[in-house]
Amino acid sequence: MDWAQKLSDHFLPSTNAYAEIWLDGEKVDQLSSNAEVVEPIYGKTYLPRKFKIGLTIPPTNDVDIFAQDMGFIAIVEDGRLTGFNLSIGGGMGATHGDDTTYARLGSVIGFVELKDVIAAAEAVITLQRDHGNRQERRYARLKYTVDTLGAEWFKEQIEARAGVTLHPVKAWYFERNGDQYGWIQGENGNWHLGLRINSGRLIDRPDSPLLTGLREIAKIHTGHFRLTCNQNLIVADVASADKKKIDALVEQYGLDSYKNQSGIRRNTIACVALPTCALAMAESERYAPVILPKLDALLDKHGLLEQEIVFRISGCPNGCSRPYLGEIALVGRAPGRYDLRLGADFKGERLNVVYQQNIDETEILNHLDGLFQRYAAERHEAEYFGDYLLRAQIIAEPTQKRIPLVLETV
C-alpha cells in the first residue's frame, strides 16, 4: 500500500491542464494561473492515452496484474519486501472485426529493487510518452508500443533512461485472482471483512437494503472501507471486539450473500453497459441477474454448483470487465448477442479464446450445458474449468497476439 501511494504521488501531474475550461476558443483563466508551469514527466502533450498501474502480492492476483499497462508483482523473502517483478504492456481493449486490435497480457521483463522502483516506472511512462502512437487512437495504448518496439527494447531503454539494472525475474506463484470473502486477519491483528457486491451496485432493493446496511455499519465502524478491483467491498481494520456487531448488521441487511452464492456468482464481473455506457452494444450489468440463475441451474444439474469459475460479461469489446481473462466470458456484439469466449485460467495468467461468435442466449446455454457435462465427467481432481478445456483440446492453446503491422511512432 505504501508503494501504491508513492507511485500515485510521484505521477500526479504538476499542471492543472485537466482542470482547464475553454469557451469559444478562449481559456477561462479563473481556474488556472497564466504563469508557465513545467510538467516534468508528461511534458506539453501528456500521454497518448490512459495508463494503468497495478500492484499485487502473490499468491493472490486480485488486481489482474497482467491486464495493467504496468504491473508490480511483490517479491517477499523472509517476510520482507525486497522488490517487484515488473510487467509492461497489458491491456484489455479490442475492436470487433479488427484483428490489429487485441487483448494483451503484460510481459514480465525483470526484477526491480525497491530503490529503483520509481525511476524504472518513470522510464516506462516517459517511453510511452515519447514513442506511443499519436496518429491512430486504436493503437495508442502501451501494449501496442511494446509490440511495435519489442519488450527487450523496452528493457534496454528503461535501464538506460533510469540508470537502473533490471535483474532476472524472480519466481512467483499465483493461486487465484478475484477477491476473498469473509473475515481475514491482517498483520496488525485487526480484521478485514470481504463482502460480495453484485456488479458493484450498492443500492437498496426491497429484498436487500445494501446501502442502508453499509450506512449502519459506518456508524459504528472505526476503521475504513475499501473498494476492490472486482466490484466488491472490504470493511477494513476492524477490532476483534467489533466483529460480532458488524456480523449482526451484515446478516440483518443481506450483505452476506457470498455465503450462499454459487462458485460462478462469487467470481462474476459485469461492466455497466446499457443504458449508461454509450459504447455498449449489448447488456451486461442488467443481464447478469438474468443469465446467472440459468448458469446456476446448468451447473447444479451437473454437480458443479460450488465449482469456482471466473465469469465475465462485457457489453462491448473494450473489455472494462476484463472479459479476456474469464474462464467463461460474454462479449457483446448486439442486443441479445455475444461472443462466447472460453479457456482463461483461474489465476489471470492466460487469455481466453473465441469459442462461438455472435450467438444468443439459447445457443450460449446449449454450448455450456454440453461442456459442463463433459467437465463433470472428465475433470481431474482440483482442475479448473479453463484448464480442463485446454487439456481436453476443446479449445486451442491461447497465444499472445502481436500487432501485425509496423506502426509509425512519434
Side-chain angles (χ1 to χ4, degrees):
M1 193 167 110
D2 288 342
W3 278 102
Q5 191 64 57
K6 289 176 184 178
L7 287 163
S8 176
D9 291 344
H10 186 76
F11 293 113
L12 285 174
S14 297
T15 73
N16 59 355
Y18 288 120
E20 289 177 0
I21 295 176
W22 294 71
L23 181 64
D24 296 332
E26 297 292 331
K27 185 165 67 173
V28 179
D29 289 325
Q30 287 88 335
L31 294 180
S32 61
S33 168
N34 290 320
E36 182 74 18
V37 180
V38 176
E39 181 56 76
I41 296 175
Y42 302 110
K44 293 183 178 180
T45 57
Y46 283 75
L47 298 180
R49 209 165 171 193
K50 63 183 177 183
F51 194 101
K52 300 178 181 179
I53 303 175
L55 298 88
T56 196
I57 306 173
T60 300
N61 181 21
D62 49 359
V63 302
D64 273 335
I65 197 72
F66 299 114
Q68 315 302 327
D69 293 273
M70 181 162 58
F72 291 93
I73 302 169
I75 301 300
V76 179
E77 298 173 346
D78 298 324
R80 183 176 63 89
L81 178 66
T82 60
F84 298 90
N85 285 337
L86 174 61
S87 167
I88 59 171
M92 294 285 97
T95 301
H96 284 316
D98 184 353
D99 288 339
T100 68
T101 66
Y102 47 84
R104 187 188 193 280
L105 297 180
S107 301
V108 183
I109 59 171
F111 172 79
V112 184
E113 296 177 3
L114 292 179
K115 65 182 178 63
D116 296 330
V117 167
I118 298 296
E122 184 171 319
V124 175
I125 288 174
T126 57
L127 284 166
Q128 170 65 352
R129 177 199 67 196
D130 296 343
H131 297 278
N133 190 293
R134 295 181 186 269
Q135 279 70 49
E136 178 56 66
R137 189 173 186 271
R138 290 176 298 168
Y139 307 136
R141 291 294 295 276
L142 178 66
K143 61 182 177 178
Y144 299 118
T145 315
V146 172
D147 279 349
T148 301
L149 300 173
E152 189 60 35
W153 180 90
F154 256 84
K155 180 179 178 180
E156 293 171 358
Q157 292 295 313
I158 291 166
E159 292 183 321
R161 284 198 177 202
V164 304
T165 299
L166 293 181
H167 302 281
V169 174
K170 296 204 174 188
W172 81 89
Y173 173 74
F174 289 136
E175 293 177 349
R176 58 173 298 140
N177 66 3
D179 294 330
Q180 300 177 68
Y181 303 114
W183 290 105
I184 299 169
Q185 191 167 25
E187 292 185 357
N188 64 357
N190 284 346
W191 294 82
H192 312 294
L193 177 60
L195 298 177
R196 168 75 183 149
I197 308 296
N198 294 331
S199 297
R201 188 63 67 178
L202 267 177
I203 59 176
D204 282 348
R205 292 190 172 96
D207 59 337
S208 57
L210 304 184
L211 185 56
T212 296
L214 261 296
R215 284 173 174 155
E216 292 302 311
I217 290 173
K219 291 177 182 179
I220 66 169
H221 181 38
T222 58
H224 49 274
F225 295 91
R226 298 258 172 208
L227 307 182
T228 80
C229 299
N230 302 296
Q231 302 180 319
N232 297 311
L233 184 141
I234 299 170
V235 184
D237 221 20
V238 178
S240 297
D242 293 334
K243 285 177 64 182
K244 286 186 178 180
K245 292 183 289 185
I246 290 177
D247 271 337
L249 291 171
V250 165
E251 183 177 359
Q252 178 182 347
Y253 290 97
L255 287 159
D256 56 353
S257 62
Y258 68 90
K259 292 181 179 178
N260 51 31
Q261 285 187 337
S262 63
I264 196 170
R265 284 180 182 261
R266 291 192 296 265
N267 293 279
T268 293
I269 300 177
C271 72
V272 64
L274 298 171
T276 305
C277 178
L279 300 177
M281 301 173 178
E283 294 282 2
S284 181
E285 180 186 341
R286 297 193 299 188
Y287 185 48
V290 175
I291 195 168
L292 279 168
K294 299 173 183 179
L295 293 177
D296 280 349
L298 292 180
L299 290 163
D300 195 26
K301 169 184 170 183
H302 299 296
L304 298 169
L305 194 59
E306 293 304 312
Q307 176 63 42
E308 302 267 356
I309 298 176
V310 177
F311 179 45
R312 307 278 172 86
I313 312 175
S314 180
C316 79
N318 290 294
C320 293
S321 58
R322 309 192 293 279
Y324 308 106
L325 290 169
E327 292 178 279
I328 303 171
L330 302 178
V331 178
R333 279 203 175 250
R337 305 191 71 86
Y338 300 84
D339 284 353
L340 174 61
R341 303 182 65 99
L342 301 172
D345 67 350
F346 195 70
K347 305 174 185 178
E349 294 182 309
R350 183 175 69 231
L351 293 173
N352 56 27
V353 298
V354 175
Y355 184 71
Q356 294 289 328
Q357 282 189 332
N358 198 21
I359 59 176
D360 62 17
E361 182 183 277
T362 299
E363 295 171 285
I364 291 167
L365 295 174
N366 285 340
H367 283 294
L368 291 176
D369 190 17
L371 294 173
F372 289 158
Q373 182 179 27
R374 288 192 59 181
Y375 176 51
E378 301 171 8
R379 62 180 170 159
H380 291 168
E381 184 178 357
E383 185 175 35
Y384 288 107
F385 183 60
D387 296 335
Y388 161 74
L389 295 174
L390 196 61
R391 179 181 61 80
Q393 298 184 327
I394 293 169
I395 62 168
E397 177 78 36
T399 57
Q400 179 71 73
K401 293 182 73 173
R402 293 287 186 266
I403 194 162
L405 72 164
V406 176
L407 299 177
E408 181 183 353
T409 60
V410 175

